[in-house]
């Protein structure tokens, strides 16, 4: 499983990093970045929750 962040769509709310800090963090510009590729199997559910919770749909998860 792979997580992707659309930097143009991200508004920097930080919700993804709160929900799944094992996969997402905020960079110096307060834009989300993926820090785990591939997504560790034990946090796949959290990564999918982060995708579903993103207010701008900036996160996509690929199998």
């Amino acid at each position: 499983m792979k997580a992707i962040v659309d930097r143009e769509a991200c508004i920097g709310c930080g919700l993804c990093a709160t929900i799944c800090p094992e996969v997402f963090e905020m960079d110096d510009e307060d834009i989300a970045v993926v820090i785990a590729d591939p997504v560790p199997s034990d946090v796949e559910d959290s990564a999918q929750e982060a995708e579903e919770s993103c207010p701008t749909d900036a996160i996509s998860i690929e199998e």
Side-chain angles (χ1 to χ4, degrees):
M1 176 176 282
K2 179 181 180 81
I4 300 165
V5 174
D6 178 348
R7 292 183 58 83
E8 298 296 318
C10 179
I11 59 171
C13 73
L15 194 56
C16 58
T18 300
I19 293 171
C20 191
E22 300 86 354
V23 177
F24 304 99
E25 72 178 16
M26 306 309 287
D27 68 10
D28 293 340
E29 299 174 4
D30 284 331
I31 300 295
V33 293
V34 175
I35 57 170
D37 184 23
V39 173
S41 58
D42 61 327
V43 296
E44 286 181 354
D45 289 343
S46 294
Q48 289 178 322
E49 181 182 347
E51 175 193 27
E52 294 165 4
S53 299
C54 180
T56 61
D57 295 324
I59 299 171
S60 57
I61 303 288
E62 298 177 351
E63 295 297 326

